[in-house]
Amino acid sequence: MTDPFADVSPWDKPAESAPETPVVNTATAPHVPGATHMNPFKIGLTFKAGASFDAEWITPTIYGSTADETARRTVEMMHALRQHGVIDLATNAAEYTRQQFKGSTTKAGAAAPKRFVGGKVQPTTDAEHQGETDCPHGRTHVAKGTWEAYFCNADERAGEKKCPAAFLNKKSGRFEIKG
């Protein structure tokens, strides 16, 4: 093999030399099985605290060597999360973090984020009232381009009738149902 740092042009004719004998590595690397080798079955769970994307998520992944083992481990995981209060602790930690946040990701005068409990918008106090955003089915906030609205979460497949959407009135800064 030629020295890449030698003071010789790569286009010069190489000097005749004995051919190099290739080095053969006879030692093999030990096989270290990964999680998918030992436990080929996997279940990923997502526990969301609310209907919107700003709600906290817990996303455990469970592995097992058989489908039955993975299913049993999944049930054990869900019971352990409840027994040890992991879901409540994650919710409280997320709420604390939101309260500590000093910056702003919204435009000046934009509406404050809604509070969700059990997938439903919670009633606001007079100090934080944003207009007509309450609904017995809960609402989902949607903001696209130049408009924002809260849409009813009623399940029409189950025969529930959706409530009218509440759109942001940019003049008042409050959500109103157009009628």
Side-chain angles (χ1 to χ4, degrees):
M1 176 180 256
T2 59
D3 181 4
F5 301 106
D7 197 18
V8 179
S9 169
W11 292 274
D12 289 343
K13 189 173 184 181
E16 294 295 322
S17 62
E20 293 184 21
T21 308
V23 178
V24 178
N25 184 1
T26 58
T28 59
H31 178 69
V32 179
T36 57
H37 177 72
M38 290 175 50
N39 296 307
F41 294 89
K42 168 184 157 183
I43 295 177
L45 304 172
T46 301
F47 299 105
K48 283 184 65 178
S52 67
F53 288 104
D54 63 345
E56 51 275 356
W57 295 17
I58 299 174
T59 57
T61 301
I62 298 93
Y63 293 92
S65 58
T66 66
D68 287 336
E69 177 189 16
T70 309
R72 281 193 308 276
R73 286 180 171 188
T74 301
V75 171
E76 291 171 9
M77 170 67 79
M78 290 191 287
H79 286 298
L81 290 172
R82 185 183 66 203
Q83 177 185 2
H84 296 287
V86 173
I87 295 170
D88 292 334
L89 185 60
T91 301
N92 293 340
E95 181 66 30
Y96 175 80
T97 302
R98 282 191 292 273
Q99 291 172 356
Q100 299 306 308
F101 182 67
K102 305 295 182 208
S104 175
T105 58
T106 59
K107 295 182 236 171
K114 297 302 248 170
R115 291 180 306 132
F116 290 88
V117 174
K120 293 185 178 182
V121 176
Q122 293 301 298
T124 57
T125 63
D126 289 338
E128 61 181 353
H129 189 67
Q130 298 175 3
E132 300 177 48
T133 58
D134 296 330
C135 166
H137 309 106
R139 291 196 181 260
T140 300
H141 179 254
V142 177
K144 293 191 178 186
T146 60
W147 62 269
E148 290 183 50
Y150 279 93
F151 293 97
C152 177
N153 293 335
D155 187 358
E156 291 178 314
R157 295 172 295 181
E160 296 177 339
K161 184 178 179 200
K162 286 199 178 264
C163 301
F167 286 88
L168 178 64
N169 180 334
K170 292 183 181 177
K171 291 180 182 177
S172 69
R174 297 166 60 101
F175 288 90
E176 299 173 358
I177 295 175
K178 293 185 176 185

